Amino acid sequence: MRFFRRFLALFQRRRFESEMEEEMRLHREHRIEQAIENGMSREEAGRTANRKMGSLDQAKESARDEHGFLWFDYLKQDISYAWRGLRKSPGFALVVIFTLTAGIGCNTACFSLLNSLLLRPLAYPNADRIVFLAESPPGEISYDSNGASFARWQENDDLFEQLGGYHLRGTTLTGRDHPRPVYLTETTAGLFEIFSARLTQGRSFRRAEHQPGQGHVAVISHEFWQQQLGGDLDILGAQLVFDGVGHDVIGVLEPRAFPYDNAIFVPSDVLHNEAKRAPGSDYDMSTFALLNPDVERGPAQTRLQSMRGAYPDSYLPEQRNWRDTIQSWRDASYGTYKPAFMMTALVVAAILLIACVNITNLALARNRARSGEIALRLALGASTGRIVRQLLTETMLLAIFGGLLGAIAGVALFQGFIRWTNMNTLRFVETSLDYRVMLFAAGATLLAGLVCGLLPALRCARPGINTHLKEGQQGVATGKRRRLQSGLVIAECACTVALLIIAVLLLRSLQNVAASDPGFTREGVLYFSLSPPAERTPDADSSARFTDQVVTQLHRIPGVVAAGATSAVPMSKVEYRTEAVRRITQDPDAGGLTVGIDSVAPGFFDTLQISLLRGRTLTAADNQSAAPRAVLVNSRLAELLFENEPALGSPIVWRGEQWEIVGIVSDTARYYLGHDPIPQLFVAQARLPLPMSYVLRAQVDPMSLIKSVRAAVEETHPGLALTNLRRLSDRADGSMGLRRIFLSTFGLFAGVGLALAAMGVFGLMTYTAAQRMREMGIRIALGATTRDIMNLILGDSLRLIGLGLLAGTVLAAAGSRLLQSQLYAINNLDPASYLLAIATLAATGTFASLLPAWKAARANPVSVLRSE
Amino acid sequence: MTKIDILQGTLDMLILRILNQGTMHGWGIADRIESISESVLKVGEGSLYPALYRMQQKGWIKSEWSVSENNRKAKFYSLTASGRKQLREKEKSWNRMTGAVAAIMQNS
């Protein structure tokens, strides 16, 4: 209550002052009148009154103190004194402000990222209850579910308030100006409700429309309506034609109603369609749910898992040891990157630490220079607390400037990062300015200011004035103070070398990845997708024939050396299938090996130049739906499943049937460069009809053949649109994108750390050399050469840096263990990388010490000794 | 006449006691202390006003501008309820202390 009153009192200052004046004046007049009554003359009365009043000013001061104004007065004094002092040393001020801007800027940017991704609520209502369901192979978490699992998860009303999913199907939109490739999102009931998606026009799907054959309606996204349909005001009731069937547009969603950029939604009949609900069905889905308010993920997952056991008919026998998993929406979206984020957070914290160390050292040096003045003030009666407060005010003032600039820089850095990584396409992540970021920046600034200011201030304001006054301005640096500063610089060098080591490891890892052999040819290869209309490919054989026709046409293009087709081009972003297979000798209940399944048409392996190691590839004869069951496997699968026994010719069980392995191909990196090969199974298209992508290899730059490719497709199948036309080498490069981002960010931070450390070493060496001027003067007078002095100082500096390097190397060795999963083909203790980083810091540190050492060596002994 | 330095707490108690008998302005309080103690105790402005402001901050007294007996403007102080309570407590501890001092002086 007292503080509150005191605070309020500030605002009543003026009134208080005038009232106090008035009161004291009246008191004085009263005294004078009293004296006159007692017989004195007016002047004498006045003099007596003055005497009796005592010191008026001191009375006023005491009164002010009681009223609580003094602390505010002191603060104003401190600030103006600090301001004057800083203006006299602009170099010091600028260095500190810049250092803090760098430190706080990096931290604010990093915190903004973590805040948007992990702390802030996602941009959809009830986002914390939205979860992602999947069936995962043992040992990993996947994102797949299918019609069978979706059906199995129904009837869980006590767990899920809503349950919904979607299946993506590529097709061609006709009936408008020109045929256009689109993806249809087949949506079950409940999906829109999970995201609280609302419509601006029309309605959503009715129950009846989810029956087979009844779903010839569509809901479109706002963005699709505006961009692709011209914002047609009469859109409700308009017809969109897919697969030759007209769908009525019955509704338009609000902008960003759905968290992903799906454009066209049609009702899914999965729950009423036997084929889609069969175990191992190809009806892939992404399934979401809204948990009931008091349900936890863990128990819900356990319940689903036990239900899985109760319905063995809803999955293939080989998938018996798979699990049903429930992940929070956040985790499913970017959970795998959490370790990387945490690592980055640690890194930027280390940078701020380095920055604070630098500033503390600078402040210590500066205060040392003023120790004479401070000692005098202490002798004249200033309290230690007052001096500390005043020194601290100076640091806090600098901290506030630096923090403000740093916050602005950090926010700008974060926004730039968003644009650079296209993170703003993640609709459900909020990247706008948040109060938490401001709070963090303020807190970090305050902390930095206190940490940097308190130590030097306390150090300086010690009593013991005699020593101060006697030592004068220049003396021998006291042992304790030097040890502290040296310790700080060692810490700085340690942090920096740790950062550098990790940066070099990441860089070399990236280089290794870029140079790695993915097992297939990238140069000169083009790929694209093409979806045949459903009416032209009613069964597997017709699909195979369709593909064949296209591939034959592609072969005819001049310049094309080879062409083929596959369901998933390596490193493209097409959906990958994962299923389980086992040997015939293995117990079906024991579960199988998780493998990637690809459907191929003849010519694929040739085009990508994937070598055939044993046996034969799949030919046109295998590409018939009635052909004998033959598959190809890659050597990884052969290793894992057959170990030392020959795989060729052996039977393998897939989807409950026996297949013969007719050939073994070499491993390929399937998802991205640097990825460990996974076991893969290849089947002829006629046995596993999936949407195909076409590949061709040419002697010329494949992009120059685009026109010919389109013409070739148009000739065989007019009216179909090509999609995802790309160069494979571009995709392969792009697959390293995330690594590059990580490395660049890290590299930036390591660079900042290095610059700060160099400044720190420079600062300390300059200060130490200045402190030891007297000693240097004596040495020179006694015959030391320039080289001797420089060696002396450099030797000291190297000793410090060396200790720092040692500590930092140990730190890095421990920390890089966490990073091992990100490192490709390089050990986290790789000596060459460590040496490179150590050499960089050693060189920088030595370079930074050269100037101070040289200046010390050039000191004129006579003038130095005389100034004492 | 000697000026005896009065301890801060004691001065507070004296002021409260005087205000207990009625509202008064600053110099009136000083006069009263001086006259009742027969000029043994003289309170200077340097002690009086800080004490008054301090007690006002603590909520023991409150003030109000008004007109004094000789038609002069003056700030009048009066006791609050908590001030009265303070007075009683201070009186109690004062009596205890003086009793203890007297006991030692008489018996040793």
Side-chain angles (χ1 to χ4, degrees), chain A residues 2 5-6 9 16 19-20 22-24 26-27 29-31 33-34 52-54 59 62-63 66-68, chain B residues 8 26-27 30-31 34 43-46 48-50 53-54 56-59 65 70 72-75 77:
Chain A
R2 267 188 82 201
R5 275 229 194 90
R6 283 191 168 210
F16 169 74
E19 280 188 6
M20 185 167 69
E22 185 75 3
E23 222 178 337
M24 302 254 177
L26 288 169
H27 199 134
E29 276 182 23
H30 167 76
R31 285 235 185 272
E33 279 176 15
Q34 248 188 352
K52 284 197 174 176
M53 289 289 274
S62 301
E66 283 307 326
H67 219 102
Chain B
Q8 192 190 66
W27 46 264
D31 274 356
E34 201 174 321
V43 189
E45 284 66 54
L48 177 68
Y49 287 103
Y53 295 147
R54 187 175 57 244
Q56 193 171 8
Q57 287 283 355
K58 288 195 189 151
W65 282 98
N70 36 7
R72 285 237 140 131
K73 204 168 77 158
K75 202 175 195 186
Y77 294 90

